[in-house]
């Protein structure tokens, strides 16, 4: 049994909000806050922008996950992950997932389902990414906005745990997406082996 003593929390009062830096992609704000217990604190954050993200867990008819290896500027290295990108204005997460799948790895999907929306570093960022699950894939290439081709890696779903534990696969959003889709992947696996 899980027991929690629920606290009644009141959102802190924003005493002052100021933009301290801005770039083409990011805005940094400071928030001067007054908490209900009288403590004042200044926070820095990247507030929610107009565009959120989508990440795609895609399984082909050979029971393989479609992975990507692409440049990660934050670490100045290539990282193994899942197809992902921004949700365009007036686009659903499902439509964005289908588009990103075609742009990044050259496949469309007859079945794309919304799984869950995740927050990413909510203590400092107002960023969300939606997880979608795609199956019944077919070739469908769309031109994307990447500066170079993205490497496609096909990984057997029977080796899902090996992937998650691999030192090469460490992108947190991708690991969370696979964990959320694990029961869906297992259903595919049991249909294939049964």
């Amino acid at each position: 049994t899980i027991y929690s003593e629920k606290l009644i929390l009141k959102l802190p009062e924003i005493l002052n909000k100021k933009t301290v830096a801005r770039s083409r992609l990011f805005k940094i704000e400071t928030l001067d806050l007054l908490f209900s217990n009288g403590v004042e604190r200044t926070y820095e954050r990247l507030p929610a922008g107009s565009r959120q993200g989508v990440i795609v867990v895609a399984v082909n008819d050979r029971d393989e996950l479609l992975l990507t290896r692409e440049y990660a500027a934050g670490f100045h290295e290539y990282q193994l992950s899942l197809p992902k990108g921004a949700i365009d204005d007036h686009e659903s997460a499902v439509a964005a997932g289908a588009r990103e799948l075609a742009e990044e790895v050259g496949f469309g999907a007859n079945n794309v389902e919304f799984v869950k929306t995740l927050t990413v570093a909510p203590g400092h960022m107002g960023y969300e990414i939606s997880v979608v699950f795609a199956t019944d894939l077919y070739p469908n290439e769309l031109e994307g906005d990447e500066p170079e081709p993205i490497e496609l890696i096909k990984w057997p779903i029977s080796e899902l745990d090996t992937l998650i534990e691999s030192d090469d696969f460490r992108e947190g959003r991708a690991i969370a997406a696979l964990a959320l889709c694990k029961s869906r992947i297992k259903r595919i696996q049991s249909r294939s082996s049964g």
Side-chain angles (χ1 to χ4, degrees):
T1 303
I2 298 173
Y3 175 76
S4 171
E5 192 172 314
K6 184 168 174 119
L7 296 174
I8 298 172
L9 299 174
K10 181 181 170 205
L11 282 174
E13 178 185 349
I14 299 174
L15 302 173
N16 187 37
K17 178 169 56 171
K18 180 179 169 187
T19 299
V20 294
R22 185 184 299 269
S23 75
R24 184 176 58 85
L25 297 175
F26 303 107
K27 175 171 84 169
I28 301 174
E29 290 180 341
T30 58
L31 293 178
D32 295 327
L33 302 172
L34 174 63
F35 287 84
S36 61
N37 63 357
V39 173
E40 288 188 29
R41 185 80 35 96
T42 298
Y43 278 65
E44 290 183 350
R45 71 175 185 174
L46 299 173
S50 61
R51 294 178 65 173
Q52 298 299 322
V54 65
I55 190 164
V56 185
V57 176
V59 179
N60 67 17
D61 61 355
R62 293 188 185 119
D63 293 347
E64 298 166 323
L65 288 165
L66 301 188
L67 306 177
T68 62
R69 187 180 317 274
E70 65 179 311
Y71 180 68
F75 290 92
H76 188 59
E77 66 185 23
Y78 288 90
Q79 287 196 0
L80 190 59
S81 189
L82 295 168
K84 62 191 165 307
I87 298 174
D88 291 339
D89 293 337
H90 310 293
E91 186 178 41
S92 71
V94 167
R99 178 182 48 75
E100 287 294 337
L101 189 63
E103 288 178 0
E104 293 200 353
V105 296
F107 284 91
N110 288 314
N111 299 314
V112 182
E113 66 179 286
F114 173 81
V115 177
K116 186 174 187 165
T117 298
L118 304 171
T119 58
V120 180
H124 299 285
M125 293 175 29
Y127 180 75
E128 295 178 332
I129 191 162
S130 294
V131 178
V132 298
F133 187 67
T135 56
D136 195 10
L137 307 183
Y138 58 90
N140 181 33
E141 290 187 36
L142 292 178
E143 186 174 330
D145 58 0
E146 289 76 20
E148 64 183 355
I150 294 174
E151 182 182 359
L152 168 63
I153 293 121
K154 296 176 182 177
W155 191 280
I157 62 174
S158 61
E159 297 295 323
L160 180 60
D161 290 336
T162 303
L163 173 65
I164 291 171
E165 294 167 8
S166 167
D167 289 340
D168 288 340
F169 191 74
R170 57 195 185 115
E171 211 268 295
R173 298 171 300 174
I175 293 169
L178 287 178
L180 287 168
C181 293
K182 199 168 188 175
S183 64
R184 290 168 172 86
I185 293 167
K186 294 237 182 254
R187 279 196 297 272
I188 290 171
Q189 205 172 4
S190 66
R191 278 194 297 248
S192 297
S193 61

